Amino acid sequence: MTNDDLSRAWDRHAETYARVGAPCTGYIAQSLFHTVAGRLPSAAHMLEIACGNGELSRAAVMHCLEERKTTGTCGRVVATDFSPEMVAHAKSNLGVLGAADIVRCEVRDGQALGFEDASFDAVFSAFGIFLFPDRNAGWREAARVLRPGGLLATAVWRGPEDNALARLQMAPVMAALPERVRASLPRASWLDIASPEGLAKEVSAAGFVDPEVSVFNAVLTAPTPRAMWSMMRENPVTRSLFAACSDEELAPVERSVLSSFEELAGGADRPVRFDASCHFLVARRA
């Protein structure tokens, strides 16, 4: 799949993500920002890569507004994503803050951002760079646009053995997928950085120093089992699994997932909650 194909796939997913995904992951993204907020220089110039709905940038803008109220000056925020529809959602969500002089939203490819070298004090990516087709290009770009000593903060899901969200989502899928589809599945490349050691090593190789990796846990809630299934069907990360199935093959997968989720929720009309676990990495540009 080309980068343009991926961008269009995330465009198609943007509305469902805004309704179901962003309320779940937004808390984690904002917590990632708050993890480093105390280390930011005054009037920091901040960049979010793969901003999605702009939840992390919301926390950054609120930080800037408070800074301006107390000091008279403040930083700036640039929220970017390679999906125009995601950027449109971020722009709408951030627009209500009345901070057009502080934040701007732009369509940018995180693997080739186009910003000048050393132009930001901090770069954030919550569940973004870790899914890039060329992850190393993403880390290198983050390092390139950071000033020496600037901060990188990123969130990466932990592997299924440490993350109930991944297990509970995928177990009923894998149980019902046709054998021919299961047999053809490659190992997900992001699992290479699902461990603290793997994540720190890869980011360090891109030009960062003093990596700190911590575990962050949260409970993610979807309004109904079917809402969660719909998000999984549309999400470009899992969509390829289902695209390989015929309608006849997909029907038992849907039944398996809904049955599992409804058991977790206690009914088809009840919210389904998943214990989720990820790693936060904070590092500095060498």
Side-chain angles (χ1 to χ4, degrees):
M1 184 179 290
T2 68
N3 219 40
D4 286 343
D5 291 335
L6 277 173
S7 174
R8 285 190 289 269
W10 284 103
D11 279 347
R12 290 190 293 269
H13 186 50
E15 185 64 36
T16 299
Y17 178 77
R19 189 176 67 254
V20 182
C24 292
T25 58
Y27 165 69
I28 300 177
Q30 292 185 23
S31 296
L32 177 65
F33 174 81
H34 292 306
T35 296
V36 301
R39 306 191 214 180
L40 294 171
S42 59
H45 193 191
M46 296 173 276
L47 170 68
E48 184 180 5
I49 297 173
C51 68
N53 229 42
E55 294 298 328
L56 187 145
S57 287
R58 175 188 292 272
V61 171
M62 296 300 290
H63 172 88
C64 291
L65 289 171
E66 180 63 22
E67 183 182 34
R68 183 161 65 186
K69 185 170 74 173
T70 57
T71 70
T73 60
C74 70
R76 293 171 291 160
V77 180
V78 183
T80 67
D81 202 293
F82 78 155
S83 161
E85 286 299 318
M86 289 291 189
V87 171
H89 277 282
K91 186 174 184 179
S92 176
N93 291 337
L94 295 171
V96 303
L97 300 178
D101 59 327
I102 292 175
V103 62
R104 68 180 193 267
C105 302
E106 299 182 356
V107 177
R108 299 263 182 170
D109 182 355
Q111 298 168 132
L113 287 163
F115 295 116
E116 292 183 3
D117 294 357
S119 52
F120 292 93
D121 297 297
V123 171
F124 300 89
S125 184
F127 308 118
I129 294 175
F130 92 114
L131 286 177
F132 282 8
D134 188 347
R135 216 170 43 232
N136 290 319
W139 303 128
R140 288 193 301 268
E141 273 293 270
R144 183 186 65 77
V145 301
L146 271 172
R147 298 186 178 104
L151 286 166
L152 169 72
T154 190
V156 174
W157 291 119
R158 300 175 79 194
E161 64 277 9
D162 300 308
N163 183 8
L165 171 67
R167 292 197 306 273
L168 293 171
Q169 277 188 305
M170 296 310 299
V173 172
M174 299 305 292
L177 276 178
E179 174 58 31
R180 65 173 183 83
V181 176
R182 286 200 304 272
S184 66
L185 293 178
R187 179 179 179 273
S189 64
W190 69 266
L191 289 173
D192 294 336
I193 56 170
S195 69
E197 299 80 11
L199 179 58
K201 180 179 178 181
E202 184 169 288
V203 169
S204 296
F208 293 95
V209 296
D210 303 325
E212 306 167 13
V213 182
S214 60
V215 173
F216 187 87
N217 297 319
V219 176
L220 305 189
T221 303
T224 64
R226 185 162 291 279
M228 192 65 176
W229 165 245
S230 296
M231 191 175 73
M232 292 170 62
R233 280 288 311 273
E234 291 183 15
N235 189 315
V237 178
T238 50
R239 183 183 177 92
S240 59
L241 295 177
F242 308 127
C245 299
S246 67
D247 290 344
E248 292 76 14
E249 291 171 328
L250 188 58
V253 176
E254 179 176 354
R255 288 195 298 270
S256 176
V257 170
L258 289 177
S259 175
S260 177
F261 289 0
E262 287 169 10
E263 183 177 355
L264 285 171
D269 60 347
R270 304 295 179 87
V272 57
R273 297 185 174 93
F274 303 89
D275 290 328
S277 189
C278 64
H279 284 126
F280 283 179
L281 175 137
V282 179
R284 289 192 177 274
R285 172 72 169 91

